[in-house]
Amino acid sequence: MADFIVIFFLFIPVYGVLLWSYFDPEESLLWGRRGMYKEEPEITEGAKKYTKILSLVLMILITLIFAIVFFNLIAEKFS
């Protein structure tokens, strides 16, 4: 159970980055690469949509995995 709690807390920054990517996909796509260009690059709408969809799918998937593991640990403890 302790390892589950540690992993859960370690995934909080991952959730933060996924939320940021969902709400501001253009900034997240340019994060760390802005200095490579002389001018501001133009991000296509397809790339923004892909980033938003991927962030949403990963947030749902991670939440489901944590829920399944948590409920299995609870069921195992009370069995």
Side-chain angles (χ1 to χ4, degrees):
M1 185 71 158
D3 54 345
F4 174 77
I5 294 171
V6 170
I7 291 172
F8 179 77
F9 281 115
L10 289 176
F11 264 88
I12 290 175
V14 174
Y15 268 95
V17 170
L18 289 172
L19 281 170
W20 174 56
S21 294
Y22 180 78
F23 288 114
D24 199 1
E26 189 170 349
E27 283 295 317
S28 68
L29 286 170
L30 292 175
W31 184 48
R33 296 188 191 107
R34 201 175 295 270
M36 292 173 45
Y37 307 104
K38 290 183 180 180
E39 297 176 5
E40 185 78 17
E42 189 172 321
I43 306 297
T44 63
E45 286 299 316
K48 291 178 191 177
K49 272 187 181 177
Y50 178 73
T51 302
K52 286 184 84 160
I53 291 171
L54 187 63
S55 297
L56 184 63
V57 167
L58 285 174
M59 283 188 287
I60 292 170
L61 186 67
I62 290 171
T63 303
L64 285 174
I65 290 171
F66 273 120
I68 291 169
V69 170
F70 178 73
F71 288 126
N72 282 339
L73 285 173
I74 295 297
E76 194 175 286
K77 187 173 185 173
F78 289 114
S79 295

